């Protein structure tokens, strides 16, 4: 277990920002922390890295209790803060070098690690440019380079893709996967469900300071799914067909309009082949077919009654 | 090592901050030039009261003739006007009326002491709130006394004596004294240098708050480095930045304005260093006491202006009436200015030490308060 959090509570005055959460992150996984604005994700992360002192709860990193001071633990953590944390009047190279030195890197190793981090984030060619002169996406990448130069075992990324174009975003997502392949465990915070779907093995969903669900993508979806909706576009629709489908096991509803047929079934009823049999038997052609699967977005909607981004 | 790393990059970034750099280097140099030429009239020795020196000879023996000869030389006449008096009371009255700046007394034992190979002393009384002009008087007297002793000793003991070195000293002093009529630009070079160093409070103010604004405080907090190391690094970086700026101003004004920085530049730099500690410490203290660094920055900026003004930085305090001369004492600028003037014009070293003591007391208090309030503002 890379990270284990028990009963974490953090207040700002009277306001409860993190409300008694438990999290555990396994070695080698990409763990998604999802939630809308103000859910408490950044606050939780700040407590994990020792930036803020929690009011209650235990934080174990690499199996050891962490109070925000232990250097041997800090050495193995890299943080990509939500807000850019760069010196705009230093060059890319100087930024990465500065932070690398805080981790005790020096000499040839320092140089090679800095080069590696800049190459990895695609900024080696821009190394002599002041951070101020970079585009938004490049600044985001430099923000990552500064966090990974010391090759931490645990990388915490707080919305690393916020506000950038799809190309830079893809670049970052690929980088996250690669870092994970190289052996780092990753905590990945995002508003974007698609990103979490693509990257994360396990996910926790936060809302109002609480973790409202936690598990693998499949577990989360299964947890919220009660029915499956299938849509067919057919060459024709007739009454025989409708009554045939209505008799199939698990079908709850069958509606149509023009040539569009919508069938709602209970989850896990595995009745798709039976439905198709009916269609074939009535001599109707299938033009197209679409099974609507639940997404993490649906999961969140079901759990909170709200969409993740407003 | 990590402290030096933080200090180095802090300095690098400070010297890339062209806006602040303009204020710290270009502005004072412009002001030195402008004030130095525009207000030059105040400094030409035409106001008799400021340059008149009373002279009381209680000795009247052969050595006093040497001294009077010395006072009669053209170089000395250019600097001070001698007014003979018959009693101390008379002189004190003149000084109180601001008709004279100092009193020189040759004690009755003067010739005798020298004859016996002992160190003779000449007493110098300065008006209490002495302007830097009175330190010139002291410089002249010191030069004479050292020179006389040396000459005597050399005569008695031969040139291999260590005292011979003093002989060089004499010449050095008279050389300084020659070009020593302070011009306006010499005055403003010092006061504007001091003002610039005091603007260094801005670096102390922003040193740590800036990390918060840039968010880099998150990286610093999560890195394997102690918070005290961060503070030390930022402090060191700010101090070196301000001191380098001060040295640049000294070098620039020396080369291009031919400003007189005196014969003891290391000590002048030591005064700058002490005041730099004071200003950075003061900046950090005020920063910790307030919340918003922009607000504390504006407050400090305003404060430095006031301090510069009451210390006579823009306009000599001695020209602004006795009240201003008195309140000048509460300004750190004043302490540092006087310490430097005393050094350049070789005034009383006891006074210089008192000014330095004042600076160090204020700076130590600033650091103690800054230290106590740091933990509170860190969260
Ligand atoms: N320093 C602070 N003082 C007071 N309240 C704070 C502070 N920082 C955060 N909060 C509040 O705590 C709550 C959680 O904030 P947090 O930044 O952890 O949310 P988040 O999940 O990271 O949101 P986002 O997706 O917008 O980054 C918010 O309501 C926020 O207003
Ligand atoms: Mg956040």
């Amino acid at each position: 277990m890379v990270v284990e959090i028990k009963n974490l509570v953090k207040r700002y005055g009277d306001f409860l920002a993190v409300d008694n959460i438990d999290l555990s992150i396994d070695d080698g996984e990409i763990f998604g922390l999802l939630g809308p604005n103000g859910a408490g994700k950044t606050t939780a992360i700040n407590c994990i890295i020792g930036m803020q002192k929690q009011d209650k709860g235990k934080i174990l990193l690499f199996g050891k209790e962490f109070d925000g001071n232990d250097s041997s633990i800090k050495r193995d953590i890299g943080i990509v803060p939500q807000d850019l944390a760069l010196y705009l009047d230093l060059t890319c190279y100087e930024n990465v070098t500065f932070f690398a030195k805080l981790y005790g890197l020096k000499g040839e190793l320092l140089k090679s690690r800095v080069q590696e981090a800049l190459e990895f984030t695609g900024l080696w060619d821009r190394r002599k440019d002041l951070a101020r002169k970079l585009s938004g996406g490049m600044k985001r990448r430099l923000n990552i380079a500064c966090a990974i130069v010391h090759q931490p075992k645990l990388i915490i990324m707080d919305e690393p893709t916020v506000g950038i174009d799809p190309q830079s975003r893809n670049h970052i997502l690929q980088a996250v996967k690669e870092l994970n392949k190289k052996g780092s465990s990753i905590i990945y915070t995002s508003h974007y469900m698609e990103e979490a779907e693509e990257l994360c093995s396990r996910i926790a969903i936060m809302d109002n300071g609480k973790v409202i669900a936690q598990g693998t993508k499949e577990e989360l979806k299964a947890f919220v799914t009660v029915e499956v909706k299938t849509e067919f576009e057919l060459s024709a629709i007739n009454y025989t067909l409708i009554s045939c489908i209505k008799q199939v096991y698990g079908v709850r509803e069958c509606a149509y309009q023009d040539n569009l047929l919508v069938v709602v079934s209970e989850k896990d009823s595995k009745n798709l082949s039976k439905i198709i049999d009916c269609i074939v038997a009535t001599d109707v052609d299938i033009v197209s077919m679409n099974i609507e699967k639940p997404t993490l977005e649906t999961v969140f909607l079901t759990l909170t009654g709200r969409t993740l981004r407003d | 090592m990590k402290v030096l790393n933080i200090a180095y990059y802090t300095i690098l970034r400070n010297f890339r901050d062209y806006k602040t750099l303009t204020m710290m280097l270009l502005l004072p140099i412009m002001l030195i030039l402008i004030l130095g030429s525009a207000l030059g009239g105040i400094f030409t020795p035409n106001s008799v009261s400021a340059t008149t020196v009373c002279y009381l000879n209680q000795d009247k023996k052969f050595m006093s003739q040497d001294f009077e000869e010395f006072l009669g030389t053209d170089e000395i006449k250019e600097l001070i006007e001698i007014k003979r008096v018959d009693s101390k009371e008379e002189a004190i009255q003149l000084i109180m009326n601001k008709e004279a700046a100092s009193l020189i007394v040759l004690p009755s034992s003067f010739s005798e002491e020298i004859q016996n190979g002992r160190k003779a002393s000449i007493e110098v009384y300065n008006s209490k709130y002495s302007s830097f002009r009175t330190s010139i008087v002291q410089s002249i007297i010191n030069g004479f006394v050292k020179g006389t002793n040396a000459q005597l000793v050399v005569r008695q003991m031969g040139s291999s004596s260590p005292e011979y070195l003093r002989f060089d000293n004499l010449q050095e002093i008279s050389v300084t004294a020659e070009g020593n009529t302070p011009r306006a630009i010499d005055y403003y070079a010092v006061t504007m240098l001091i003002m610039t160093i005091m603007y260094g409070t801005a670096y102390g103010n922003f040193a740590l708050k800036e990390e918060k604004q840039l968010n880099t405080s998150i990286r610093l907090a999560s890195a394997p480095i102690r918070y005290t190391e961060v503070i030390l690094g930022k402090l060191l970086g700010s101090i070196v930045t301000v001191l380098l700026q001060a040295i640049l101003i000294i070098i620039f004004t020396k080369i291009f304005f031919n400003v007189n920085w005196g014969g003891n530049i290391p000590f002048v730099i030591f005064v700058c260093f002490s005041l730099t500690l004071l200003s950075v410490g003061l900046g950090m203290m005020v920063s910790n006491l307030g919340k918003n660094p922009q607000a504390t920055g504006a407050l400090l900026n305003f404060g430095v202006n006031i301090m510069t003004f009451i210390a006579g930085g823009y306009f000599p305090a001695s020209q602004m009436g006795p009240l201003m001369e008195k309140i000048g004492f509460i300004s750190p600028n004043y302490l540092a200015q006087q310490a430097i003037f005393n050094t350049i014009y070789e005034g009383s070293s006891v006074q210089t030490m008192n000014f330095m003591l004042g600076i160090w007391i204020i700076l130590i208090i600033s650091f103690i308060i800054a230290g106590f309030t740091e933990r509170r503002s860190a969260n």
Side-chain angles (χ1 to χ4, degrees):
Chain A
M1 210 79 85
V2 180
V3 180
E4 213 175 339
I5 295 171
K6 289 178 191 153
N7 307 325
L8 184 70
V9 175
K10 173 73 193 173
R11 287 192 182 81
Y12 294 115
D14 284 341
F15 179 75
L16 200 53
V18 172
D19 185 0
N20 204 21
I21 66 171
D22 295 304
L23 289 175
S24 61
I25 291 122
D26 287 329
D27 202 0
E29 76 173 335
I30 305 182
F31 186 89
L33 192 57
L34 301 184
N37 288 125
K41 306 181 294 289
T42 301
T43 307
I45 286 173
N46 282 344
C47 292
I48 296 175
I49 61 171
M51 172 77 188
Q52 278 170 337
K53 191 91 199 96
Q54 70 266 30
D55 294 306
K56 244 185 72 188
K58 244 190 190 179
I59 294 167
L60 284 93
L61 299 179
F62 313 110
K64 272 201 275 183
E65 186 156 354
F66 181 57
D67 61 353
N69 289 320
D70 192 335
S71 287
S72 66
I73 292 179
K74 283 176 153 186
R75 198 158 293 142
D76 288 329
I77 304 176
I79 171 87
V80 180
Q82 175 170 4
D83 299 313
L84 293 171
L86 303 168
Y87 296 111
L88 297 180
D89 36 22
L90 293 183
T91 64
C92 295
Y93 194 88
E94 288 164 343
N95 265 291
V96 178
T97 304
F98 173 75
F99 291 113
K101 282 180 169 175
L102 293 185
Y103 287 84
L105 292 176
K106 48 180 171 264
E108 285 306 312
L109 184 64
L110 170 73
K111 280 187 196 161
S112 69
R113 287 283 176 83
V114 170
Q115 180 168 359
E116 221 173 295
L118 284 169
E119 278 171 351
F120 183 76
T121 47
L123 289 171
W124 181 245
D125 292 338
R126 304 293 303 261
R127 64 188 178 278
K128 288 180 181 154
D129 286 346
L130 292 182
R132 179 186 310 291
K133 289 192 185 154
L134 299 180
S135 73
M138 290 176 192
K139 280 183 191 145
R140 285 275 151 206
R141 270 143 55 185
L142 183 57
N143 204 32
I144 294 173
C146 293
I148 60 167
V149 62
H150 59 291
Q151 302 190 342
K153 287 189 205 151
L154 171 66
I155 304 172
I156 302 177
M157 304 180 128
D158 197 352
E159 305 196 25
T161 58
V162 84
I164 56 172
D165 65 84
Q167 205 185 336
S168 276
R169 189 168 163 193
N170 264 336
H171 191 289
I172 289 178
L173 295 187
Q174 290 317 309
V176 173
K177 283 185 196 166
E178 219 167 302
L179 285 168
N180 181 243
K181 252 188 234 148
K182 285 186 193 168
S184 296
S185 310
I186 293 167
I187 300 181
Y188 191 94
T189 292
S190 181
H191 286 172
Y192 297 97
M193 287 297 171
E194 316 85 80
E195 288 183 0
E197 292 246 34
E198 185 179 339
L199 291 175
C200 304
S201 45
R202 286 193 316 128
I203 288 164
I205 296 181
M206 280 188 82
D207 190 30
N208 288 327
K210 291 192 183 68
V211 171
I212 53 177
Q214 186 171 184
T216 63
K217 282 178 281 194
E218 293 71 28
E219 281 167 357
L220 286 176
K221 286 177 197 169
F223 179 63
V224 297
T225 312
V226 278
E227 44 195 30
V228 180
K229 197 154 100 185
T230 319
E231 282 181 3
F232 300 90
E233 195 184 341
L234 303 174
S235 59
I237 292 175
N238 56 46
Y239 182 74
T240 335
L241 174 60
I242 301 292
S243 62
C244 173
I245 289 174
K246 277 189 172 165
Q247 278 157 24
V248 171
Y249 167 80
V251 171
R252 282 188 178 172
E253 221 183 299
C254 181
Y256 64 95
Q257 191 181 20
D258 301 328
N259 284 347
L260 196 68
L261 180 72
V262 179
V263 182
V264 177
S265 315
E266 280 162 33
K267 89 169 167 183
D268 299 329
S269 42
K270 300 204 165 78
N271 56 7
L272 188 58
S273 61
K274 293 263 159 49
I275 294 170
I276 293 176
D277 282 349
C278 286
I279 298 171
V280 174
T282 45
D283 227 4
V284 171
D285 290 334
I286 301 176
V287 180
S288 72
M289 187 181 109
N290 179 31
I291 304 168
E292 192 177 279
K293 278 193 196 146
T295 63
L296 288 172
E297 194 74 47
T298 340
V299 174
F300 188 78
L301 187 66
T302 324
L303 286 171
T304 67
R306 281 179 288 131
T307 55
L308 197 50
R309 269 176 292 149
D310 2 80
Chain B
M1 268 329 278
K2 289 174 184 172
V3 172
L4 292 184
N5 178 39
I6 293 177
Y8 170 73
Y9 282 94
T10 303
I11 297 164
L12 190 64
R13 292 180 43 238
N14 285 343
F15 275 92
R16 282 184 191 165
D17 175 3
Y18 298 117
K19 234 172 83 187
T20 314
L21 218 54
T22 307
M23 201 179 104
M24 297 299 279
L25 289 176
L26 211 57
L27 183 75
I29 285 170
M30 294 299 290
L31 282 174
I32 290 168
L33 193 62
I34 293 167
L35 292 173
S37 31
L39 300 181
I42 300 169
F43 289 86
T44 45
N46 56 359
S47 57
V48 180
S49 67
T51 46
T52 303
V53 175
C54 300
Y55 171 58
L56 176 60
N57 187 347
Q58 294 174 328
D59 181 49
K60 299 216 165 83
K61 293 191 204 91
F62 71 98
M63 271 313 291
S64 69
Q65 281 160 16
D66 271 13
F67 184 63
E68 282 178 19
E69 226 169 80
F70 172 75
L71 289 181
T73 57
D74 287 345
E75 294 103 57
I76 304 295
K77 275 195 197 153
E78 238 174 67
L79 293 173
I80 53 176
E81 187 181 316
I82 297 295
K83 183 173 173 60
R84 285 167 184 279
V85 291
D86 297 320
S87 69
K88 281 188 189 175
E89 288 70 31
E90 186 189 345
I92 287 166
Q93 196 57 45
L94 286 170
I95 292 173
M96 297 252 282
N97 294 345
K98 294 201 137 234
E99 282 171 48
S102 313
L103 165 65
I104 302 171
V105 180
L106 280 194
S108 48
S109 62
F110 187 66
S111 292
E112 207 184 308
E113 298 273 340
I114 291 180
Q115 224 165 359
N116 294 334
R118 287 199 292 267
K119 195 163 184 171
S121 63
I122 298 175
E123 294 164 18
V124 179
Y125 299 86
N126 287 325
S127 63
K128 192 172 170 197
Y129 306 110
S130 64
S131 75
F132 71 104
R133 225 171 257 279
T134 56
S135 49
I136 302 167
V137 175
Q138 220 143 2
S139 143
I140 291 167
I141 307 306
N142 286 347
F144 178 78
V145 171
K146 281 183 195 167
T148 309
N149 277 351
Q151 278 168 332
L152 282 170
V153 171
V154 169
R155 244 180 258 150
Q156 287 167 355
M157 301 178 71
S159 59
S160 63
S161 143
E163 296 286 338
Y164 181 69
L165 290 173
R166 287 229 190 132
F167 191 70
D168 291 335
N169 227 0
L170 164 74
Q171 285 182 324
E172 196 182 294
I173 285 161
S174 44
V175 169
T176 330
E178 213 172 320
N180 221 349
T181 324
R183 299 162 299 155
I185 205 159
D186 296 321
Y187 181 82
Y188 286 115
V190 173
T191 64
M192 290 297 111
L193 170 74
I194 298 303
M195 179 187 77
T196 305
I197 296 175
M198 287 301 286
Y199 275 130
T201 48
Y203 289 111
N205 177 43
F206 274 103
L208 291 163
K209 294 276 167 78
E210 171 198 60
E211 300 290 336
K212 211 159 273 184
Q213 283 183 339
L214 289 170
N215 269 314
T216 40
S217 54
I218 296 186
R219 291 198 197 281
L220 294 175
S222 66
I225 173 171
R226 267 167 303 165
Y227 189 53
T228 43
E229 289 178 285
V230 176
I231 296 178
L232 283 179
K234 296 298 291 185
L235 263 179
L236 185 62
S238 308
I239 289 165
V240 172
T241 301
V242 178
L243 194 61
L244 280 178
Q245 288 166 344
I247 291 172
L248 281 177
I249 291 176
I250 293 177
I251 292 173
F252 185 93
T253 54
K254 173 112 194 136
I255 293 175
F256 293 100
F257 302 159
N258 194 25
V259 163
N260 176 14
W261 288 103
N264 193 354
I265 293 201
F267 190 79
V268 171
I269 290 175
F270 176 69
V271 177
C272 292
F273 169 70
S274 306
L275 191 70
T276 301
L277 292 183
L278 184 152
S279 86
V280 172
L282 197 68
M284 215 169 233
M285 179 190 95
V286 173
S287 174
N288 287 352
L289 293 175
K291 227 179 182 139
N292 176 349
Q294 262 72 32
T296 49
L299 182 74
L300 283 166
N301 202 37
F302 180 73
V304 170
N305 266 303
I306 298 286
M307 290 301 155
T308 306
F309 179 77
I310 63 175
Y314 302 119
F315 201 74
S318 56
Q319 305 285 319
M320 294 192 292
L323 176 71
M324 285 309 281
E325 277 188 68
K326 271 176 208 161
I327 61 174
F329 271 94
I330 63 168
S331 162
N333 294 49
Y334 182 86
L335 300 175
Q337 274 166 217
Q338 292 307 318
I340 289 183
F341 286 136
N342 262 342
T343 309
I344 297 176
Y345 302 104
E346 310 213 348
S348 145
S349 55
V350 176
Q351 244 187 9
T352 309
M353 285 310 135
N354 284 342
F355 292 132
M356 293 306 289
L357 192 67
I359 292 176
W360 277 84
I361 288 173
I362 300 178
L363 90 82
I364 287 168
I365 292 174
S366 306
F367 273 105
I368 289 174
I369 298 180
F372 272 114
T373 46
E374 183 49 54
R375 203 167 290 275
R376 190 183 65 105
S377 80
N379 272 319

